[in-house]
Amino acid sequence: MWGSVWLACLVIAYATAFGGCATTMGATTPDGERSEREFKLAAALRSEGQTASAIEHLHIALELNSNNAEAHLLLGFIQMERRASSSWRATRTRSSSSGSPQPMS
């Protein structure tokens, strides 16, 4: 439940702060442009389920341009997803070991 609330807050904050404008400061410098490309690669990798590689490329993007708002946002979102997923698995494991019926997948 709270994971959904946090996600909604992040989406609203992102849309409010960055809607319709450039989201990476310094994108006109070579490092800024490379940071933007690293972010786009990370987003593509995440959509293909390659989360670990996406995180690596997000770190590179942030090393190149620490003001890359999209990279910060995506990294935070991925971390939130990972925590929610591990919490869900832990709850499911506890319920299966206690003999409680499990919800169908």
Side-chain angles (χ1 to χ4, degrees):
M1 153 99 183
W2 285 109
S4 298
V5 172
W6 283 111
L7 175 59
C9 289
L10 279 173
V11 169
I12 291 168
Y14 179 80
T16 302
F18 306 113
C21 65
T23 57
T24 55
M25 299 180 70
T28 57
T29 66
D31 281 350
E33 291 172 7
R34 182 163 173 232
S35 176
E36 183 66 18
R37 286 193 304 271
E38 291 289 339
F39 161 74
K40 288 179 180 178
L41 176 58
L45 288 167
R46 179 188 166 269
S47 70
E48 293 175 2
Q50 298 180 32
T51 307
S53 293
I55 290 170
E56 288 177 31
H57 286 279
L58 287 169
H59 284 289
I60 293 168
L62 291 170
E63 286 174 15
L64 292 165
N65 179 7
S66 62
N67 293 323
N68 186 330
E70 290 175 320
H72 280 289
L73 184 65
L74 184 57
L75 185 58
F77 182 73
I78 289 171
Q79 290 172 342
M80 185 183 71
E81 280 182 324
R82 292 176 109 187
R83 276 194 292 271
S85 178
S86 64
S87 174
W88 179 83
R89 280 193 298 269
T91 301
R92 188 174 170 110
T93 302
R94 280 195 303 270
S95 67
S96 66
S97 64
S98 67
S100 302
Q102 294 182 15
M104 295 186 68
S105 306

